[in-house]
């Protein structure tokens, strides 16, 4: 597609529920990133994929967070047993090449998760 | 560890006045530096980037930034503010240590208000 598409745009979950957030990157983009943006803060790195390989998951805050990209295109971020501190906007971004060089990320509009 | 500090969480200027948004970074090696803008309920859009070429970088919408190694700064400026510039602005540095230039470290953000 023309841009990075994320769904749902808004999600309200009760504490303890599982949620899944989808990212459809720009067609052909090799690299895909997930960031978490808490209210009033800058985005923070969660995880990175090159094609289907998850090369860096150092930013995932707990083992309740899981991401996958099985066919090297669409990615899903799953949060199990959601907690209130998980409330944030989850941003997906992609770029064409691998991780080196002066690549520029293209961001999606984000998925806003509110945990009650 | 690399970090980014944006001085001033809120900046207010009059339409037509100079815009100056401050960003200081810490990095043990020459970094890549970025400024992104975020409009309400939208993803981040790249304004400009520094990748070790010219120290004065021109971006979109009349914005520019100057890389000053001696001051570890990358301040964003625009000579004349427009009402449409009102948004959240984020400075970011690439995590060069990871070799992955899509893994960015963001500042806390600065909200720019433009008064008529």
């Amino acid at each position: 597609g023309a841009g990075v598409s994320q769904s749902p745009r808004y999600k309200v979950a009760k504490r303890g529920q599982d949620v899944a957030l989808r990212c459809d990157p720009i067609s052909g983009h090799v690299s895909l990133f997930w960031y978490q943006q808490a209210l009033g803060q800058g985005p923070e790195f969660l995880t990175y994929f090159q094609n289907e390989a998850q090369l860096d998951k150092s930013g995932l805050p707990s083992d309740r967070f899981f991401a996958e990209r099985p066919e090297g295109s669409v990615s899903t971020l799953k949060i199990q047993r959601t907690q209130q501190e998980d409330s944030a906007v989850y941003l997906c971004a992609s770029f064409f090449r691998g991780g080196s060089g002066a690549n520029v990320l293209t961001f999606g509009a984000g998925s806003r998760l509110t945990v009650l | 560890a690399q970090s980014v500090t944006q001085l001033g969480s809120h900046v207010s200027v009059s339409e037509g006045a100079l815009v100056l948004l401050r960003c200081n970074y810490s990095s043990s090696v020459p970094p890549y530096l970025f400024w992104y803008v975020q409009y309400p309920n939208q993803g981040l859009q790249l304004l400009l980037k520094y990748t070790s070429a010219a120290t004065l970088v021109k971006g979109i919408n009349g914005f520019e930034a100057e890389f000053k190694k001696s001051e570890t700064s990358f301040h964003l400026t625009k000579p004349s503010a427009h009402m449409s510039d009102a948004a959240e602005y984020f400075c970011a540095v690439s995590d060069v240590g990871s070799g992955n230039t899509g893994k960015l470290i963001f500042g806390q953000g600065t909200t720019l208000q433009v008064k008529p």
Side-chain angles (χ1 to χ4, degrees):
Chain A
V4 178
S5 178
Q6 293 188 245
S7 62
R9 289 293 315 278
Y10 303 93
K11 176 69 178 179
V12 178
K14 292 183 179 179
R15 189 164 61 94
Q17 283 185 327
D18 297 348
V19 300
L21 308 176
R22 174 189 169 106
C23 173
D24 200 343
I26 293 173
S27 179
H29 275 199
V30 167
S31 295
L32 184 148
F33 298 78
W34 284 98
Y35 283 81
Q36 180 190 57
Q37 185 177 17
L39 186 66
Q41 304 293 317
E44 292 189 355
F45 171 82
L46 292 177
T47 187
Y48 161 62
F49 290 86
Q50 187 167 323
N51 295 307
E52 69 277 7
Q54 189 175 20
L55 299 185
D56 187 342
K57 52 182 180 179
S58 61
L60 295 176
S62 77
D63 59 8
R64 297 186 295 103
F65 286 71
F66 172 76
E68 60 184 6
R69 194 186 185 197
E71 297 178 357
S73 55
V74 171
S75 177
T76 303
L77 177 67
K78 297 179 179 178
I79 309 173
Q80 298 176 323
R81 305 181 303 281
T82 53
Q83 304 293 316
Q84 285 189 321
E85 61 263 28
D86 300 334
S87 296
V89 176
Y90 292 86
L91 296 167
C92 179
S94 69
F95 58 57
F96 179 68
R97 288 161 40 185
S100 62
N103 297 288
V104 174
L105 289 171
T106 299
F107 282 86
S111 292
R112 181 181 297 276
L113 172 65
T114 302
V115 181
L116 303 177
Chain B
Q2 292 173 282
S3 66
V4 175
T5 302
Q6 291 184 240
L7 300 175
S9 59
H10 287 82
V11 171
S12 181
V13 301
S14 298
E15 190 174 21
L18 172 71
V19 176
L20 171 61
L21 304 182
R22 299 178 187 274
C23 173
N24 288 86
Y25 69 92
S26 68
S27 178
S28 58
V29 297
Y32 294 153
L33 293 158
F34 305 83
W35 274 99
Y36 283 87
V37 61
Q38 187 176 36
Y39 297 99
N41 299 317
Q42 294 187 27
L44 286 85
Q45 179 183 5
L46 180 72
L47 280 176
L48 48 81
K49 64 179 181 180
Y50 167 77
T51 57
S52 74
T55 57
L56 182 62
V57 181
K58 294 188 182 299
I60 62 171
N61 301 339
F63 285 94
E64 62 182 36
E66 186 173 7
F67 172 70
K68 292 187 176 180
K69 184 178 178 180
S70 61
E71 299 177 8
T72 61
S73 69
F74 191 57
H75 301 331
L76 182 72
T77 60
K78 181 174 181 177
S80 176
H82 192 272
M83 296 296 291
S84 61
D85 295 327
E88 186 85 9
Y89 291 80
F90 292 96
C91 181
V93 61
S94 58
D95 183 356
V96 292
S98 71
N100 182 351
T101 54
K103 186 176 180 180
L104 301 182
I105 299 161
F106 285 87
Q108 299 275 69
T110 297
T111 301
L112 176 65
Q113 180 187 26
V114 181
K115 299 177 291 185

